Amino acid sequence: MANVAVVGAQWGDEGKGKVVDWLSERADVVVRFQGGHNAGHTLVINGVTYKLSLLPSGIVRGKLSIIGNGVVVDPWALLDEIARVRGQGVDISPAILKLAENAPLILPLHGDLDRLREEAAGGAKIGTTGRGIGPAYEDKVARRAIRVCDLAQPAELESKIGRLLAHHNALRKGLGAPLIDGAELLGKLIDLAPKILPFADVTWLRLDEIRRKGKRILYEGAQGALLDIDHGTYPYVTSSNTVAGNAATGSGQGPSAVGYVLGICKAYTTRVGSGPFPTELTDAIGRLIGERGHEFGTVTGRPRRCGWFDAVLVRQTCKVGGIHGLALTKLDVLDGFDELKICTAYEIDGRRYDYLPALASLQAKAKPVYETLPGWKGSTRGARSWAALPAEAVKYIRHVEELIGVPVALFSTSPEREDTVLVQDPFAD
């Protein structure tokens, strides 16, 4: 059976948590492969809401859950999340949760640097969550990161911290911030080690064994393709590769590890933070979409910017991300509109584009070219079959498929996991 990667096909917040939870019932293992605790996946199960940031969404279903080497891990945030979710009755132990021993750690100094830089940037800020994700990835690439496995060798930690602080204290001095005390940081990490190390594992080897046994693996992405460090709306992006190609690298598997890529996108478009957004609606319609969709960030609580569905961007992310099928979420939010618009191209400086150029100055000038479709008066909320949808809603979905060149594999009509219609089975060979 095919192993499946679930990735966002927009700017994140597309509903990946619900879809992964829905698919996880048929998977044996769920793997997070990039990002950090800036991600937020919300699951609603039997009326109970679970908000996850680092824990793979399969944990709530009792599935073996792996945090891969491509994730940057704030160990204190992870322990807090484990305690909170345990408090909701979920069993989380080292037998069910595995943390890659080679995953880099996010330390308090990373969050400090993130926030200091945003404050210094003023009006040019990128809009990060301030949780230290970017600085942690920088240290990883610069080969000075403290990793999970380093906690097992306290005798060597002091020198590694010294190398790390040679960089960070120079930056902090330039930003007018107090310097980090290496001995204090060492003490925190030594105290942390016995709490984190029981979850540490050679996850690449464990995943290889699982694959050889023919078990199903679900790779869970965070954020979305438009936030990818290479392929997103740079520089207003995250600090990792969010496309499905990173599912293999971020978990220690080869390219053949992923057999099917499921892209998640809303029936409209949202974005959090700064950066271009060609179809953004700043009028009453945009506010109404935001209210109906409860568009507030799971992690930050920030209101999301809302706009019409952008077929240009989703078509682009499907090509870049190798997406085989789409999961279309929040269709019910569009109930009751007289008409709906879909962006099919851009106009930039008098020229027509069928893709979003990489240059930020051109992205900022992109004007959407719209097609207008009739809305529907009936309700789609809670629909669990094609037959239960208004005819105009079916036409809307079919037109989205035509414009992006990828079939809709499933769609959902409420936050409840059962209100999901399967059209094409991602796990089928």
Side-chain angles (χ1 to χ4, degrees), residues 222-393:
Q223 290 93 36
L226 294 172
L227 294 174
D228 186 276
I229 187 67
D230 288 301
H231 303 290
T233 48
Y234 191 92
Y236 302 100
V237 293
T238 193
S239 300
S240 61
N241 286 112
T242 60
V243 295
N246 197 31
T249 306
S251 61
Q253 305 294 287
S256 61
V258 179
Y260 186 97
V261 180
L262 181 68
I264 317 297
C265 70
K266 290 173 180 168
Y268 49 98
T269 311
T270 64
R271 158 158 225 176
V272 171
S274 306
F277 187 170
T279 66
E280 182 175 12
L281 297 169
T282 56
D283 57 8
I285 292 177
R287 290 191 294 274
L288 179 59
I289 290 174
E291 290 166 6
R292 285 185 177 181
H294 305 289
E295 296 296 352
F296 298 92
T298 300
V299 171
T300 63
R302 292 183 292 183
R304 297 172 185 142
R305 300 154 65 190
C306 299
W308 294 120
F309 186 81
D310 192 330
V312 180
L313 286 180
V314 177
R315 182 172 62 238
Q316 187 166 325
T317 59
C318 285
K319 292 179 184 298
V320 169
I323 291 172
H324 297 99
L326 277 182
L328 193 67
T329 65
K330 293 196 171 184
L331 185 66
D332 55 302
V333 173
L334 299 182
D335 289 354
F337 284 99
D338 291 329
E339 61 180 31
L340 303 169
K341 293 183 178 181
I342 295 179
C343 175
T344 58
Y346 304 125
E347 282 189 2
I348 304 174
D349 292 335
R351 177 183 166 187
R352 193 179 179 99
Y353 287 79
D354 61 358
Y355 67 95
L356 189 65
L359 197 61
S361 59
L362 294 181
Q363 292 178 356
K365 297 177 184 179
K367 304 294 183 186
V369 177
Y370 285 120
E371 280 188 13
T372 301
L373 284 75
W376 53 87
K377 294 302 181 185
S379 174
T380 64
R381 189 170 181 83
R384 298 183 183 179
S385 69
W386 283 107
L389 296 179
E392 292 82 2

Side-chain angles (χ1 to χ4, degrees), residues 61-330:
R61 294 282 166 193
K63 302 293 182 176
L64 178 61
S65 299
I66 293 176
I67 299 174
N69 56 275
V71 179
V72 283
V73 179
D74 181 323
W76 295 278
L78 177 59
L79 291 172
D80 287 346
E81 188 174 336
I82 289 172
R84 175 169 50 78
V85 178
R86 275 177 176 164
Q88 293 184 277
V90 179
D91 177 32
I92 304 177
S93 69
I96 195 172
L97 177 65
K98 305 294 182 182
L99 172 61
E101 63 172 4
N102 53 338
L105 296 179
I106 298 178
L107 305 176
L109 56 83
H110 292 124
D112 287 347
L113 181 58
D114 213 349
R115 294 184 291 272
L116 286 167
R117 283 173 169 170
E118 283 287 85
E119 290 167 10
K125 63 178 60 176
I126 291 174
T128 76
T129 60
R131 283 164 168 73
I133 311 299
Y137 273 118
E138 288 177 41
D139 283 343
K140 173 184 177 178
V141 173
R143 295 162 291 184
R144 55 175 170 258
I146 306 295
R147 302 188 297 172
V148 172
C149 55
D150 292 325
L151 298 178
Q153 293 186 319
E156 297 182 13
L157 263 179
E158 186 173 4
S159 62
K160 291 181 178 179
I161 289 172
R163 184 168 183 271
L164 182 68
L165 294 188
H167 173 77
H168 278 271
N169 277 338
L171 289 176
R172 294 174 71 90
K173 185 175 181 181
L175 291 166
L179 304 187
I180 299 292
D181 183 331
E184 182 181 348
L185 178 57
L186 176 62
K188 288 180 179 179
L189 292 177
I190 289 174
D191 179 63
L192 174 75
K195 303 171 187 175
I196 286 293
L197 286 175
F199 296 99
D201 197 10
V202 186
T203 53
W204 64 266
L205 185 58
R206 184 170 295 273
L207 281 168
D208 182 68
E209 293 167 353
I210 288 167
R211 286 179 61 207
R212 289 178 184 278
K213 292 177 182 176
K215 294 186 177 182
R216 290 171 168 172
I217 302 173
L218 193 58
Y219 298 90
E220 178 182 14
Q223 290 93 36
L226 294 172
L227 294 174
D228 186 276
I229 187 67
D230 288 301
H231 303 290
T233 48
Y234 191 92
Y236 302 100
V237 293
T238 193
S239 300
S240 61
N241 286 112
T242 60
V243 295
N246 197 31
T249 306
S251 61
Q253 305 294 287
S256 61
V258 179
Y260 186 97
V261 180
L262 181 68
I264 317 297
C265 70
K266 290 173 180 168
Y268 49 98
T269 311
T270 64
R271 158 158 225 176
V272 171
S274 306
F277 187 170
T279 66
E280 182 175 12
L281 297 169
T282 56
D283 57 8
I285 292 177
R287 290 191 294 274
L288 179 59
I289 290 174
E291 290 166 6
R292 285 185 177 181
H294 305 289
E295 296 296 352
F296 298 92
T298 300
V299 171
T300 63
R302 292 183 292 183
R304 297 172 185 142
R305 300 154 65 190
C306 299
W308 294 120
F309 186 81
D310 192 330
V312 180
L313 286 180
V314 177
R315 182 172 62 238
Q316 187 166 325
T317 59
C318 285
K319 292 179 184 298
V320 169
I323 291 172
H324 297 99
L326 277 182
L328 193 67
T329 65
K330 293 196 171 184

